[in-house]
Amino acid sequence: DAGVIQSPRHEVTEMGQEVTLRCKPISGHDYLFWYRQTMMRGLELLIYFNNNVPIDDSGMPEDRFSAKMPNASFSTLKIQPSEPRDSAVYFCASTTHRGQGLLGYTFGSGTRLTVV
Amino acid sequence: QQPVQSPQAVILREGEDAVINCSSSKALYSVHWYRQKHGEAPVFLMILLKGGEQKGHEKISASFNEKKQQSSLYLTASQLSYSGTYFCGTESRETSYDKVIFGPGTSLSVIP
């Protein structure tokens, strides 16, 4: 398996522009998570999906952020309009359940977003 | 609520041992441990599900005290490759079972 695939690896954009981050989870994994990592705030959970349905989006910073999972093999995280404070590394992770709880997460390589 | 990790940072010489602690104010269902090297994604090490359970990964092992809501990661005979930031992640019985909240991380540096 190729693992969790994220694109792009790096994104530099101007303030006010729309940014779309993409993720392909591991085949067979029914949980998908979006995390944001910064030095100040560490790894923050933004939103997660189970069987393509958003379960908990309480970590989404504000209405500028939205996420979708149209099918089991693809998810997007969109920021519109982007702001400099959105600069961070965004990770996608996937896993599945084994009856007694979640298995370990497999993280994608991340997207380093810089908003100037 | 985010779990607490200690210490924040530790420097070891090759061959020395270290312990990283993780604690939560919430009743825990499971504890995950991950290692992240600079510029890379976190990598899963192990998960502990039962109170008192211990697991091992190479020369890295962990324990989980469900009653105290604590977990400890033990690194023995450290190698240069152990350097990185170690995160614990907790699943709580008091919130959704299906998400892991990560601690702030412990930076581990192993020097020759």
Side-chain angles (χ1 to χ4, degrees), chain B residues 24-42:
Chain B
S24 174
S25 60
K26 296 185 180 297
L28 299 179
Y29 184 77
S30 72
V31 179
H32 295 218
W33 286 97
Y34 295 77
R35 176 171 63 206
Q36 183 179 29
K37 293 185 179 289
H38 183 69
E40 298 180 7

Side-chain angles (χ1 to χ4, degrees), chain A residues 4 9 12-13 19 27 31 40 44 54-55 57 59 71-72 78 92 97 106-108:
Chain A
V4 176
R9 288 295 308 273
V12 180
T13 190
V19 175
S27 177
Y31 285 84
M40 291 297 294
E44 296 177 275
I55 303 299
D57 65 354
N71 57 61
K78 186 176 293 187
C92 172
H97 209 274
T106 301
F107 282 82

Side-chain angles (χ1 to χ4, degrees), chain A residues 26-38:
Chain A
I26 289 175
S27 177
H29 281 187
D30 51 351
Y31 285 84
L32 184 140
F33 302 82
W34 282 101
Y35 283 88
R36 176 171 70 177
Q37 186 175 39
T38 60

Side-chain angles (χ1 to χ4, degrees), chain B residues 20-95:
Chain B
I20 299 171
N21 300 301
C22 175
S23 64
S24 174
S25 60
K26 296 185 180 297
L28 299 179
Y29 184 77
S30 72
V31 179
H32 295 218
W33 286 97
Y34 295 77
R35 176 171 63 206
Q36 183 179 29
K37 293 185 179 289
H38 183 69
E40 298 180 7
V43 173
F44 172 71
L45 294 176
M46 67 190 76
I47 182 172
L48 301 109
L49 289 172
K50 299 177 184 176
E53 183 178 5
Q54 291 192 325
K55 284 200 164 187
H57 175 82
E58 299 174 343
K59 290 183 181 178
I60 301 173
S61 62
S63 64
F64 176 26
N65 187 319
E66 191 177 356
K67 287 184 180 179
K68 291 187 176 180
Q69 296 156 197
Q70 295 175 346
S71 178
S72 294
L73 187 71
Y74 307 95
L75 299 100
T76 58
S78 59
Q79 306 168 13
L80 295 176
S81 62
Y82 286 2
S83 293
T85 301
Y86 288 78
F87 294 95
C88 71
T90 55
E91 274 188 273
S92 171
R93 294 181 183 278
E94 296 176 21
T95 58

Side-chain angles (χ1 to χ4, degrees), chain A residues 52-65:
Chain A
N52 315 336
V53 176
I55 303 299
D56 184 349
D57 65 354
S58 60
M60 296 286 262
E62 48 199 273
D63 292 344
R64 297 185 297 106
F65 285 68

